[in-house]
Amino acid sequence: MPKIESSFLDISRLDALASQRTLIHGLDPRAKIVTTLIFIFIVVSFPKHEVTALVPFTLYPVVLIALANLPPGYLFQKVLLAAPFAFFVGIFNPLLDSEVLIHLGPVGISGGWVSFASIMLRFGLTVGAALVLVATTGMNGIGAGLEKLGAPNSFAVQLTFLYRYLFVLTDEAARMVRARSLRSFGIKGTEVKVFGYMIGHLLLRTMDRAQRIHQAMLCRGFTGELRLPVPLKFSWRDMGFLAGWSSLFILMRLVNIPQWMGLLVTEVLG
Amino acid sequence: MPIKQLQYIVYASLLAALTAVGAFIPIPIGPVPIILQNLFVLLAGLLLGSRWGFTSMAVYLLVGAVGMPVFTGGKGGIAHFMGPTGGYLIGFAVCAFVTGWIAERSSGRTGWDIAAVIAGSLLVYACGVPWLKAVTAMTWTKAVMVGMLPFLMGDAIKAVMAVMLARAVRPMLQRQLQTVSA
């Protein structure tokens, strides 16, 4: 069971990162959400054999990590955690597509390997961008931003609630599992019946907690409106961030910058 | 926001959180350990109905998609939707909706609750197995052998537990909802 606690402690690290005060953290969540969505949409829209044109897109997460004072090693580690899934998706490509597509000197690289590299790069970029969004905005900010962007209020409220309850129920479940472990001297095998009781207890405690939380909300006059310490205000700075990055993404989608630079260098040298 | 709607949001969020916690509690029986996620997905449908059961799972999936460690084994990230298990994740939302839809029409009858959990459980596989086959380029037989058969016994246990727990908890839930309405 320690895994459950350590996983959720990990969430609180993202929370701590989101509470920093930097230029990027100060931007309106809507600007960051929409920019991230455009980034993901454009990255995913590339053809399956494209690799070089994707490389300049690393600029977005790298610049944000630097400006938002985020630990690159920690985020890279989180991206690596998702990598086995991307690996599994793409690893069959070299077997299915063995036609040589590129020649690197005497070595021929098949289309399957190129598409595999493209999948890995796209996964890294999209997962990285989503993590940067959470680490610079926080779940409360994302919930409030989504609501202002037109997502149903109940959906946005539920998103922020879920985020809080994850910690509460993790504690509850961890306590129960620890108690069972201590009373049974850490025995591994457990009867289904015992687990049935445990889950029943967890469910009843959850229902009881739900009732208490709801009553507390009513007592405090909560009406379902998400409130942040600083009300959301979409300024020219946010507009600049959104428009600037979006234009750059579109440019990078239309022009293969590494190829263009390569041609330029070849011409100058030639 | 109406008071009752707020209460449903609290319940839906808590069940979504339970689904996340369920990913960490394996029941060590049989060759494949049983993960409790599906149990809470079924319970979301049985207790909250189609609309709130679906919303609960949609929010759970969104939180997982942005990288929170709520999927099996404490994983998270949008990559999981593109991977071999992506279909099962989408199946959770479909399962909660259909289970809830049938349960809403059951008027608390056990037979209908059983039908609801069977339909819900099968729909998870209906979404998961074709996805697994497409992503891994397996044959249909192999996809069923790997992605469905080893889990059937566990799912049967979870379905029975879901019906029993729902029938035990439902009166309490209805009492709480009626208290608010009054």
Side-chain angles (χ1 to χ4, degrees), chain B residues 125-150:
Chain B
Y125 291 112
C127 298
V129 174
W131 189 279
L132 178 70
K133 181 195 173 297
V135 169
T136 59
M138 286 177 186
T139 60
W140 277 108
T141 317
K142 200 171 177 191
V144 170
M145 294 286 282
V146 173
M148 185 173 168
L149 289 183

Side-chain angles (χ1 to χ4, degrees), chain A residues 148-166:
Chain A
K148 292 279 180 194
L149 283 169
N153 171 263
S154 60
F155 191 80
V157 174
Q158 213 182 313
L159 187 73
T160 54
F161 282 6
L162 169 59
Y163 187 61
R164 284 155 207 250
Y165 297 162
L166 275 175

Side-chain angles (χ1 to χ4, degrees), chain A residues 140-215:
Chain A
N140 283 352
I142 292 176
L146 284 174
E147 190 190 12
K148 292 279 180 194
L149 283 169
N153 171 263
S154 60
F155 191 80
V157 174
Q158 213 182 313
L159 187 73
T160 54
F161 282 6
L162 169 59
Y163 187 61
R164 284 155 207 250
Y165 297 162
L166 275 175
F167 294 95
V168 175
L169 291 187
T170 304
D171 272 353
E172 196 87 65
R175 263 202 308 277
M176 288 175 72
V177 173
R178 204 180 305 126
R180 187 205 75 85
S181 177
L182 288 171
R183 283 171 194 166
S184 61
F185 301 100
I187 194 167
K188 290 284 178 201
T190 306
E191 281 183 46
V192 179
K193 203 172 157 186
V194 176
F195 265 96
Y197 286 137
M198 276 177 65
I199 294 154
H201 271 285
L202 185 60
L203 190 62
L204 285 174
R205 285 183 192 191
T206 305
M207 292 294 163
D208 192 39
R209 192 178 285 272
Q211 180 74 349
R212 286 205 308 275
I213 290 169
H214 182 240
Q215 283 167 349

Side-chain angles (χ1 to χ4, degrees), chain B:
Chain B
M1 180 186 286
I3 291 172
K4 200 162 184 172
Q5 190 183 350
L6 185 60
Q7 195 177 26
Y8 266 112
I9 288 176
V10 173
Y11 282 112
S13 310
L14 276 164
L15 270 161
L18 268 180
T19 310
V21 172
F24 292 89
I25 312 175
I27 305 178
I29 53 165
V32 182
I34 300 171
I35 297 292
L36 290 177
Q37 268 178 313
N38 305 41
L39 171 70
F40 294 116
V41 175
L42 292 171
L43 277 170
L46 287 174
L47 295 174
L48 303 176
S50 55
R51 184 189 163 196
W52 289 104
F54 175 79
T55 319
S56 170
M57 286 308 118
V59 171
Y60 164 75
L61 295 176
L62 180 68
V63 165
V66 297
M68 297 291 126
V70 295
F71 297 149
T72 308
K75 302 280 192 324
I78 202 162
H80 287 254
F81 290 88
M82 315 295 175
T85 54
Y88 296 98
L89 291 174
I90 303 293
F92 282 173
V94 180
C95 166
F97 180 83
V98 173
T99 307
W101 189 83
I102 299 173
E104 278 164 356
R105 281 145 186 84
S106 75
S107 317
R109 279 173 288 179
T110 315
W112 280 97
D113 279 350
I114 293 169
V117 293
I118 291 172
S121 301
L122 288 177
L123 274 166
V124 174
Y125 291 112
C127 298
V129 174
W131 189 279
L132 178 70
K133 181 195 173 297
V135 169
T136 59
M138 286 177 186
T139 60
W140 277 108
T141 317
K142 200 171 177 191
V144 170
M145 294 286 282
V146 173
M148 185 173 168
L149 289 183
F151 307 104
L152 284 181
M153 188 186 83
D155 277 350
I157 295 171
K158 281 182 269 188
V160 171
M161 280 169 81
V163 172
M164 286 166 69
L165 287 168
R167 297 191 68 76
V169 172
R170 225 182 242 146
M172 176 184 159
L173 182 66
Q174 276 163 3
R175 215 169 30 247
Q176 288 180 354
L177 290 170
Q178 276 161 8
T179 313
V180 171
S181 307

